[in-house]
Amino acid sequence: MAELPPLDDALRARFAAAREAAPTADLTEPRAREAYYDAATGRIVVELKLGGAFAFPPDLFPELAGEPAEQLAAVRPCFGGEALEWEALDVHIGVAGVLVRMLGPALPRAFAQKGGSATSERKAAAARANGARGGRPRKRQEPYRYAPAAGASMVRETLVPPEERTPYLPERPLDEYGLPIPPEPKPRARGRKKAGE
């Protein structure tokens, strides 16, 4: 077996940064502390490092559907708890992927929001430096509007000058599932007015 090359300084620095980031990730990302197969319910139970737990049926994933209980019981966390592994079946499933499949696409947004609200000395220093320069710059929207060129036999698109552009319509607000909230219905008129009113 060939010997592995020695670690260089850049790789050592990356490992050190990953070790420093691990405790924050354990508190902001769904990582498995323990996983086991519950034969009584026929579900795989995952206990998270965050403190909670959840269970899911193996049939949720085609790779596990129809497998005997002995094979399913060999589940264990891997990759620092980011995934579940069945070594004999050569199956690896991400913990976040299980939650998304169970709960829908709103879940990654919730974890991203939780991660974004985490505080650290590095984030605080960046905020102070940004404030000293006048705060966060405003986002500029550059709307592009195209119009057909005059006299073209086929439709061509040309860029409309900025002074003739129309601004984008404001984006509709989204609900907790990421779907657009419909506008409030307009009140209906209650009959016609009589002449002389």
Side-chain angles (χ1 to χ4, degrees), residues 18-40:
R19 278 193 296 274
E20 282 182 24
T24 303
D26 288 346
L27 297 175
T28 57
E29 298 176 11
R31 294 192 172 191
R33 180 174 51 83
E34 186 182 349
Y36 58 91
Y37 177 70
D38 184 2

PDB file of all heavy atoms in Angstrom, residues 18-40:
ATOM      1  N   ALA A  18     -11.949  23.730   9.813  1.00  0.00           N
ATOM      2  CA  ALA A  18     -13.097  22.813   9.863  1.00  0.00           C
ATOM      3  C   ALA A  18     -13.392  22.394  11.298  1.00  0.00           C
ATOM      4  O   ALA A  18     -14.559  22.300  11.694  1.00  0.00           O
ATOM      5  CB  ALA A  18     -12.832  21.593   8.994  1.00  0.00           C
ATOM      6  N   ARG A  19     -12.330  22.157  12.096  1.00  0.00           N
ATOM      7  CA  ARG A  19     -12.534  21.798  13.504  1.00  0.00           C
ATOM      8  C   ARG A  19     -13.168  22.951  14.274  1.00  0.00           C
ATOM      9  O   ARG A  19     -14.014  22.748  15.133  1.00  0.00           O
ATOM     10  CB  ARG A  19     -11.210  21.391  14.150  1.00  0.00           C
ATOM     11  CG  ARG A  19     -10.813  19.951  13.870  1.00  0.00           C
ATOM     12  CD  ARG A  19      -9.689  19.500  14.779  1.00  0.00           C
ATOM     13  NE  ARG A  19      -8.457  20.245  14.560  1.00  0.00           N
ATOM     14  CZ  ARG A  19      -7.544  19.933  13.645  1.00  0.00           C
ATOM     15  NH1 ARG A  19      -7.722  18.889  12.871  1.00  0.00           N
ATOM     16  NH2 ARG A  19      -6.448  20.657  13.514  1.00  0.00           N
ATOM     17  N   GLU A  20     -12.778  24.190  13.963  1.00  0.00           N
ATOM     18  CA  GLU A  20     -13.369  25.356  14.643  1.00  0.00           C
ATOM     19  C   GLU A  20     -14.828  25.540  14.257  1.00  0.00           C
ATOM     20  O   GLU A  20     -15.649  25.954  15.076  1.00  0.00           O
ATOM     21  CB  GLU A  20     -12.587  26.622  14.280  1.00  0.00           C
ATOM     22  CG  GLU A  20     -11.283  26.776  15.016  1.00  0.00           C
ATOM     23  CD  GLU A  20     -10.576  28.061  14.643  1.00  0.00           C
ATOM     24  OE1 GLU A  20     -11.258  29.008  14.191  1.00  0.00           O
ATOM     25  OE2 GLU A  20      -9.345  28.125  14.789  1.00  0.00           O
ATOM     26  N   ALA A  21     -15.172  25.256  12.994  1.00  0.00           N
ATOM     27  CA  ALA A  21     -16.538  25.467  12.520  1.00  0.00           C
ATOM     28  C   ALA A  21     -17.489  24.365  12.955  1.00  0.00           C
ATOM     29  O   ALA A  21     -18.708  24.552  12.948  1.00  0.00           O
ATOM     30  CB  ALA A  21     -16.549  25.583  10.998  1.00  0.00           C
ATOM     31  N   ALA A  22     -16.969  23.211  13.340  1.00  0.00           N
ATOM     32  CA  ALA A  22     -17.819  22.060  13.665  1.00  0.00           C
ATOM     33  C   ALA A  22     -18.810  22.328  14.796  1.00  0.00           C
ATOM     34  O   ALA A  22     -19.982  21.977  14.670  1.00  0.00           O
ATOM     35  CB  ALA A  22     -16.957  20.844  13.979  1.00  0.00           C
ATOM     36  N   PRO A  23     -18.415  22.956  15.933  1.00  0.00           N
ATOM     37  CA  PRO A  23     -19.398  23.181  17.001  1.00  0.00           C
ATOM     38  C   PRO A  23     -20.558  24.077  16.555  1.00  0.00           C
ATOM     39  O   PRO A  23     -21.705  23.845  16.926  1.00  0.00           O
ATOM     40  CB  PRO A  23     -18.579  23.857  18.110  1.00  0.00           C
ATOM     41  CG  PRO A  23     -17.174  23.463  17.851  1.00  0.00           C
ATOM     42  CD  PRO A  23     -17.055  23.333  16.375  1.00  0.00           C
ATOM     43  N   THR A  24     -20.274  25.097  15.741  1.00  0.00           N
ATOM     44  CA  THR A  24     -21.345  25.962  15.246  1.00  0.00           C
ATOM     45  C   THR A  24     -22.264  25.182  14.324  1.00  0.00           C
ATOM     46  O   THR A  24     -23.493  25.310  14.392  1.00  0.00           O
ATOM     47  CB  THR A  24     -20.752  27.179  14.495  1.00  0.00           C
ATOM     48  OG1 THR A  24     -19.884  27.866  15.384  1.00  0.00           O
ATOM     49  CG2 THR A  24     -21.841  28.116  14.020  1.00  0.00           C
ATOM     50  N   ALA A  25     -21.687  24.352  13.455  1.00  0.00           N
ATOM     51  CA  ALA A  25     -22.504  23.551  12.542  1.00  0.00           C
ATOM     52  C   ALA A  25     -23.377  22.566  13.310  1.00  0.00           C
ATOM     53  O   ALA A  25     -24.523  22.321  12.930  1.00  0.00           O
ATOM     54  CB  ALA A  25     -21.612  22.814  11.552  1.00  0.00           C
ATOM     55  N   ASP A  26     -22.853  22.018  14.417  1.00  0.00           N
ATOM     56  CA  ASP A  26     -23.653  21.085  15.219  1.00  0.00           C
ATOM     57  C   ASP A  26     -24.881  21.757  15.810  1.00  0.00           C
ATOM     58  O   ASP A  26     -25.887  21.105  16.070  1.00  0.00           O
ATOM     59  CB  ASP A  26     -22.806  20.493  16.350  1.00  0.00           C
ATOM     60  CG  ASP A  26     -21.776  19.498  15.832  1.00  0.00           C
ATOM     61  OD1 ASP A  26     -21.892  19.066  14.666  1.00  0.00           O
ATOM     62  OD2 ASP A  26     -20.855  19.156  16.600  1.00  0.00           O
ATOM     63  N   LEU A  27     -24.810  23.074  16.049  1.00  0.00           N
ATOM     64  CA  LEU A  27     -25.938  23.800  16.642  1.00  0.00           C
ATOM     65  C   LEU A  27     -26.863  24.421  15.606  1.00  0.00           C
ATOM     66  O   LEU A  27     -27.950  24.883  15.956  1.00  0.00           O
ATOM     67  CB  LEU A  27     -25.411  24.902  17.569  1.00  0.00           C
ATOM     68  CG  LEU A  27     -24.611  24.420  18.770  1.00  0.00           C
ATOM     69  CD1 LEU A  27     -24.038  25.603  19.526  1.00  0.00           C
ATOM     70  CD2 LEU A  27     -25.482  23.577  19.685  1.00  0.00           C
ATOM     71  N   THR A  28     -26.451  24.480  14.354  1.00  0.00           N
ATOM     72  CA  THR A  28     -27.262  25.155  13.341  1.00  0.00           C
ATOM     73  C   THR A  28     -27.672  24.248  12.188  1.00  0.00           C
ATOM     74  O   THR A  28     -28.512  24.633  11.390  1.00  0.00           O
ATOM     75  CB  THR A  28     -26.503  26.358  12.752  1.00  0.00           C
ATOM     76  OG1 THR A  28     -25.263  25.904  12.211  1.00  0.00           O
ATOM     77  CG2 THR A  28     -26.258  27.421  13.809  1.00  0.00           C
ATOM     78  N   GLU A  29     -27.093  23.066  12.082  1.00  0.00           N
ATOM     79  CA  GLU A  29     -27.413  22.150  10.987  1.00  0.00           C
ATOM     80  C   GLU A  29     -27.928  20.838  11.551  1.00  0.00           C
ATOM     81  O   GLU A  29     -27.556  20.449  12.661  1.00  0.00           O
ATOM     82  CB  GLU A  29     -26.164  21.887  10.140  1.00  0.00           C
ATOM     83  CG  GLU A  29     -25.613  23.123   9.475  1.00  0.00           C
ATOM     84  CD  GLU A  29     -24.324  22.839   8.738  1.00  0.00           C
ATOM     85  OE1 GLU A  29     -23.966  21.643   8.566  1.00  0.00           O
ATOM     86  OE2 GLU A  29     -23.653  23.803   8.351  1.00  0.00           O
ATOM     87  N   PRO A  30     -28.781  20.144  10.789  1.00  0.00           N
ATOM     88  CA  PRO A  30     -29.270  18.845  11.282  1.00  0.00           C
ATOM     89  C   PRO A  30     -28.198  17.773  11.147  1.00  0.00           C
ATOM     90  O   PRO A  30     -27.919  17.300  10.049  1.00  0.00           O
ATOM     91  CB  PRO A  30     -30.472  18.557  10.372  1.00  0.00           C
ATOM     92  CG  PRO A  30     -30.187  19.298   9.115  1.00  0.00           C
ATOM     93  CD  PRO A  30     -29.389  20.513   9.511  1.00  0.00           C
ATOM     94  N   ARG A  31     -27.577  17.411  12.262  1.00  0.00           N
ATOM     95  CA  ARG A  31     -26.543  16.381  12.270  1.00  0.00           C
ATOM     96  C   ARG A  31     -26.929  15.281  13.247  1.00  0.00           C
ATOM     97  O   ARG A  31     -27.366  15.559  14.363  1.00  0.00           O
ATOM     98  CB  ARG A  31     -25.193  16.978  12.663  1.00  0.00           C
ATOM     99  CG  ARG A  31     -24.683  17.953  11.621  1.00  0.00           C
ATOM    100  CD  ARG A  31     -23.271  18.317  11.860  1.00  0.00           C
ATOM    101  NE  ARG A  31     -22.750  19.106  10.749  1.00  0.00           N
ATOM    102  CZ  ARG A  31     -21.485  19.394  10.584  1.00  0.00           C
ATOM    103  NH1 ARG A  31     -20.604  18.968  11.449  1.00  0.00           N
ATOM    104  NH2 ARG A  31     -21.087  20.103   9.557  1.00  0.00           N
ATOM    105  N   ALA A  32     -26.730  14.052  12.826  1.00  0.00           N
ATOM    106  CA  ALA A  32     -27.138  12.903  13.639  1.00  0.00           C
ATOM    107  C   ALA A  32     -26.116  12.614  14.725  1.00  0.00           C
ATOM    108  O   ALA A  32     -24.920  12.563  14.468  1.00  0.00           O
ATOM    109  CB  ALA A  32     -27.320  11.685  12.752  1.00  0.00           C
ATOM    110  N   ARG A  33     -26.610  12.441  15.950  1.00  0.00           N
ATOM    111  CA  ARG A  33     -25.764  11.987  17.056  1.00  0.00           C
ATOM    112  C   ARG A  33     -25.821  10.477  17.146  1.00  0.00           C
ATOM    113  O   ARG A  33     -24.834   9.814  17.427  1.00  0.00           O
ATOM    114  CB  ARG A  33     -26.246  12.618  18.370  1.00  0.00           C
ATOM    115  CG  ARG A  33     -25.440  12.227  19.588  1.00  0.00           C
ATOM    116  CD  ARG A  33     -25.873  12.980  20.829  1.00  0.00           C
ATOM    117  NE  ARG A  33     -27.299  12.926  21.077  1.00  0.00           N
ATOM    118  CZ  ARG A  33     -27.924  11.912  21.688  1.00  0.00           C
ATOM    119  NH1 ARG A  33     -27.246  10.871  22.100  1.00  0.00           N
ATOM    120  NH2 ARG A  33     -29.220  11.948  21.876  1.00  0.00           N
ATOM    121  N   GLU A  34     -27.021   9.922  16.890  1.00  0.00           N
ATOM    122  CA  GLU A  34     -27.230   8.476  16.964  1.00  0.00           C
ATOM    123  C   GLU A  34     -28.352   8.114  15.994  1.00  0.00           C
ATOM    124  O   GLU A  34     -29.261   8.919  15.737  1.00  0.00           O
ATOM    125  CB  GLU A  34     -27.613   8.075  18.392  1.00  0.00           C
ATOM    126  CG  GLU A  34     -27.723   6.593  18.610  1.00  0.00           C
ATOM    127  CD  GLU A  34     -28.150   6.237  20.038  1.00  0.00           C
ATOM    128  OE1 GLU A  34     -28.154   7.133  20.902  1.00  0.00           O
ATOM    129  OE2 GLU A  34     -28.496   5.069  20.242  1.00  0.00           O
ATOM    130  N   ALA A  35     -28.303   6.908  15.456  1.00  0.00           N
ATOM    131  CA  ALA A  35     -29.358   6.405  14.571  1.00  0.00           C
ATOM    132  C   ALA A  35     -29.535   4.916  14.815  1.00  0.00           C
ATOM    133  O   ALA A  35     -28.556   4.204  15.042  1.00  0.00           O
ATOM    134  CB  ALA A  35     -29.012   6.673  13.111  1.00  0.00           C
ATOM    135  N   TYR A  36     -30.798   4.455  14.802  1.00  0.00           N
ATOM    136  CA  TYR A  36     -31.067   3.031  14.995  1.00  0.00           C
ATOM    137  C   TYR A  36     -32.394   2.677  14.337  1.00  0.00           C
ATOM    138  O   TYR A  36     -33.216   3.549  14.043  1.00  0.00           O
ATOM    139  CB  TYR A  36     -31.075   2.657  16.483  1.00  0.00           C
ATOM    140  CG  TYR A  36     -32.084   3.409  17.315  1.00  0.00           C
ATOM    141  CD1 TYR A  36     -33.368   2.909  17.518  1.00  0.00           C
ATOM    142  CD2 TYR A  36     -31.757   4.630  17.901  1.00  0.00           C
ATOM    143  CE1 TYR A  36     -34.292   3.599  18.281  1.00  0.00           C
ATOM    144  CE2 TYR A  36     -32.664   5.329  18.673  1.00  0.00           C
ATOM    145  CZ  TYR A  36     -33.936   4.809  18.857  1.00  0.00           C
ATOM    146  OH  TYR A  36     -34.852   5.497  19.591  1.00  0.00           O
ATOM    147  N   TYR A  37     -32.590   1.389  14.103  1.00  0.00           N
ATOM    148  CA  TYR A  37     -33.823   0.888  13.504  1.00  0.00           C
ATOM    149  C   TYR A  37     -34.737   0.394  14.612  1.00  0.00           C
ATOM    150  O   TYR A  37     -34.344  -0.443  15.424  1.00  0.00           O
ATOM    151  CB  TYR A  37     -33.522  -0.237  12.521  1.00  0.00           C
ATOM    152  CG  TYR A  37     -34.759  -0.856  11.911  1.00  0.00           C
ATOM    153  CD1 TYR A  37     -35.535  -0.147  10.999  1.00  0.00           C
ATOM    154  CD2 TYR A  37     -35.146  -2.145  12.243  1.00  0.00           C
ATOM    155  CE1 TYR A  37     -36.666  -0.713  10.442  1.00  0.00           C
ATOM    156  CE2 TYR A  37     -36.272  -2.715  11.686  1.00  0.00           C
ATOM    157  CZ  TYR A  37     -37.034  -1.997  10.797  1.00  0.00           C
ATOM    158  OH  TYR A  37     -38.157  -2.556  10.250  1.00  0.00           O
ATOM    159  N   ASP A  38     -35.960   0.933  14.671  1.00  0.00           N
ATOM    160  CA  ASP A  38     -36.944   0.517  15.676  1.00  0.00           C
ATOM    161  C   ASP A  38     -37.835  -0.548  15.040  1.00  0.00           C
ATOM    162  O   ASP A  38     -38.701  -0.235  14.223  1.00  0.00           O
ATOM    163  CB  ASP A  38     -37.766   1.729  16.117  1.00  0.00           C
ATOM    164  CG  ASP A  38     -38.735   1.394  17.237  1.00  0.00           C
ATOM    165  OD1 ASP A  38     -38.755   0.245  17.696  1.00  0.00           O
ATOM    166  OD2 ASP A  38     -39.486   2.297  17.659  1.00  0.00           O
ATOM    167  N   ALA A  39     -37.627  -1.800  15.417  1.00  0.00           N
ATOM    168  CA  ALA A  39     -38.375  -2.904  14.803  1.00  0.00           C
ATOM    169  C   ALA A  39     -39.857  -2.855  15.156  1.00  0.00           C
ATOM    170  O   ALA A  39     -40.693  -3.304  14.371  1.00  0.00           O
ATOM    171  CB  ALA A  39     -37.768  -4.235  15.249  1.00  0.00           C
ATOM    172  N   ALA A  40     -40.202  -2.292  16.323  1.00  0.00           N
ATOM    173  CA  ALA A  40     -41.612  -2.247  16.740  1.00  0.00           C
ATOM    174  C   ALA A  40     -42.437  -1.358  15.807  1.00  0.00           C
ATOM    175  O   ALA A  40     -43.580  -1.676  15.476  1.00  0.00           O
ATOM    176  CB  ALA A  40     -41.712  -1.746  18.173  1.00  0.00           C
TER     177      ALA A  40
END
